[in-house]
Amino acid sequence: MTFPKGYTFTKVRTSRGPEVYVTQFGKLVKVVPCNQHVVISERYASDLIRQIESD
């Protein structure tokens, strides 16, 4: 799923549990642990983008 400013969100299963990989223009920006039932919606994505850009 691609969102404004080139952010892409990919939900993956890892040995540590489900995670969301956040990339911007192909570069990994952040790895976020998540619940297996999380749905990547517009609101979830915009909240994460806001959090990433404020760091």
Side-chain angles (χ1 to χ4, degrees):
M1 232 181 240
T2 302
F3 291 91
K5 300 181 184 178
Y7 284 98
T8 303
F9 295 80
T10 307
K11 190 173 172 185
V12 296
R13 282 191 218 168
T14 67
S15 60
R16 295 178 303 277
E19 296 178 330
V20 175
Y21 288 2
V22 183
T23 59
Q24 185 178 31
F25 302 115
K27 183 178 176 184
L28 184 64
V29 176
K30 188 166 188 156
V31 177
V32 181
C34 68
N35 184 309
Q36 63 185 3
H37 302 293
V38 164
V39 176
I40 301 173
S41 64
E42 284 284 331
R43 181 176 175 150
Y44 180 81
S46 62
D47 287 347
L48 266 179
I49 291 169
R50 195 173 309 114
Q51 178 186 357
I52 290 167
E53 291 183 344
S54 71
D55 287 345

